[in-house]
Amino acid sequence: MTKREKEAPYKKLLSKINGTEIINVNMLLSRLQLPLRSAVALIGRSNLVGAQQICLSEAFAQLSIKQASSVLTFVRHSTSKSQGAVNKAKDGAGRRLGAKKSGEQYVIPGNIIFRQRGTHWFPGDNCAMGRDHTIYATESGYVKYYKDPDRHPKRQYIGVVFERDQILPLPRNSRRRRRLGMEVSKMDTPASEEVQVRTDLVVESDGGSAVSVKQTPNVKKAKQWENLKIKSGYMYRQSNWEIGRAAERANVKVEAFKPGNRWLAWRKANARKLKTAEKRGLRKG
């Protein structure tokens, strides 16, 4: 019989003592080694005297484990190490939650009206909610706390109105106040009046003779920029071929361009260099 087979029944026996579970049986066996050894020694001495030969397994079976005065129980202690004030109970400062603006108080866009954890209040007209449930104003006006049963039967809302006397919620299907305090309304167009224009005017001179003056139509000449069309880049400009014929329209004679004329290109470059050197000399002087 191996050592493991010998210890198996005693581990099961020692696993429960008076209904109290022992979490670590090996720890209990290490504590019982000394009394077990003394009991086995006594049994061996009795065998030497002349008693019957008893096997070691039978000797263990004769042992009776009695209830000790103190029951062994497992107590779990805190795993937090004592490292000063790092792992102690923390009691931080308050987050200063609650209302920051009262009813009918004037606010501007971005002003915080109510700080909260969770949605105790919901954003209404001209208000919005941040990611930490903070309600702030999006328009300038006066704060209003109200309920809207048509929108939700139990929710509470915070809104901003443009006039102090305005009441929220607005009636259903009513005109909604727009941004900048403007309302949607139909514009009244004035009735057009017919104006009679006289074509002939008679001016009396000092000599008594009448002078007839006829009205001539005021025809404006078409200007150059009136016929411009929008081009790429949202710019109004003439086409390239129209710009190239500007000298022809102004009766200015221009030499025809000859590609590959290196002599003409050298003369133009040399003239530019002389002109640049002349400007630099004037600056230094």
Side-chain angles (χ1 to χ4, degrees):
M1 184 179 291
T2 60
K3 184 178 180 181
R4 182 175 298 177
E5 293 176 353
K6 293 178 181 178
E7 294 179 356
Y10 305 108
K11 286 184 178 181
K12 292 181 181 179
L13 178 63
L14 295 173
S15 60
K16 287 188 178 182
I17 299 176
N18 295 333
T20 303
E21 293 188 3
I22 305 303
I23 295 175
N24 197 342
V25 180
N26 294 326
M27 181 178 66
L28 183 59
L29 286 175
S30 61
R31 295 185 179 182
L32 294 175
Q33 284 182 359
L34 186 60
L36 288 174
R37 287 178 181 176
S38 60
V40 170
L42 291 174
I43 293 171
R45 290 174 186 174
S46 63
N47 290 338
L48 292 175
V49 173
Q52 300 178 7
Q53 291 184 356
I54 302 174
C55 297
L56 186 60
S57 60
E58 295 177 358
F60 279 122
Q62 293 178 2
L63 293 176
S64 61
I65 300 174
K66 297 181 180 180
Q67 183 179 1
S69 59
S70 61
V71 179
L72 180 63
T73 58
F74 183 80
V75 180
R76 184 184 183 279
H77 297 280
S78 176
T79 56
S80 176
K81 296 181 180 179
S82 58
Q83 296 178 358
V86 178
N87 292 330
K88 290 184 178 179
K90 297 174 178 62
D91 186 13
R95 296 296 92 193
R96 277 65 173 169
L97 306 177
K100 307 303 174 185
K101 300 292 182 181
S102 60
E104 297 187 359
Q105 189 171 354
Y106 187 79
V107 292
I108 61 174
N111 278 13
I112 294 175
I113 302 175
F114 203 94
R115 280 195 177 276
Q116 58 185 343
R117 291 290 178 267
T119 52
H120 300 288
W121 292 87
F122 287 84
D125 293 354
N126 302 320
C127 286
M129 183 168 15
R131 62 181 183 180
D132 60 344
H133 307 103
T134 298
I135 297 177
Y136 60 93
T138 57
E139 297 294 335
S140 300
Y142 301 92
V143 179
K144 294 286 183 179
Y145 293 84
Y146 65 98
K147 285 187 176 182
D148 192 355
D150 293 340
R151 194 171 175 183
H152 197 277
K154 295 183 179 179
R155 287 184 179 179
Q156 306 176 103
Y157 295 94
I158 301 176
V160 174
V161 295
F162 300 112
E163 299 175 2
R164 187 187 292 270
D165 299 334
Q166 188 179 350
I167 299 175
L168 290 178
L170 295 175
R172 196 170 186 181
N173 300 328
S174 63
R175 292 185 299 176
R176 185 170 63 88
R177 299 298 179 98
R178 304 286 180 172
R179 292 181 178 178
L180 305 177
M182 301 176 64
E183 296 181 8
V184 179
S185 60
K186 187 177 180 180
M187 296 180 62
D188 296 333
T189 56
S192 59
E193 299 179 358
E194 296 182 0
V195 180
Q196 296 180 359
V197 180
R198 295 178 60 183
T199 57
D200 294 337
L201 298 177
V202 178
V203 180
E204 296 182 356
S205 61
D206 296 338
S209 60
V211 179
S212 176
V213 179
K214 291 185 178 182
Q215 184 180 7
T216 57
N218 188 9
V219 180
K220 294 182 180 180
K221 294 182 179 180
K223 295 184 180 180
Q224 186 178 2
W225 58 82
E226 291 182 355
N227 297 327
L228 297 180
K229 297 181 179 180
I230 190 168
K231 303 293 181 181
S232 60
Y234 299 97
M235 294 187 298
Y236 288 92
R237 62 184 296 271
Q238 290 180 331
S239 301
N240 291 335
W241 66 272
E242 293 178 345
I243 297 173
R245 298 187 63 181
E248 183 181 348
R249 289 196 299 268
N251 297 325
V252 177
K253 188 178 180 181
V254 181
E255 294 182 3
F257 176 71
K258 296 179 181 180
N261 191 352
R262 302 302 303 163
W263 168 248
L264 181 61
W266 176 82
R267 282 192 302 169
K268 289 182 178 180
N270 195 20
R272 285 196 300 269
K273 290 178 183 178
L274 293 174
K275 195 172 183 178
T276 305
E278 185 179 356
K279 288 182 180 179
R280 289 178 180 176
L282 292 174
R283 291 176 185 174
K284 291 180 181 179

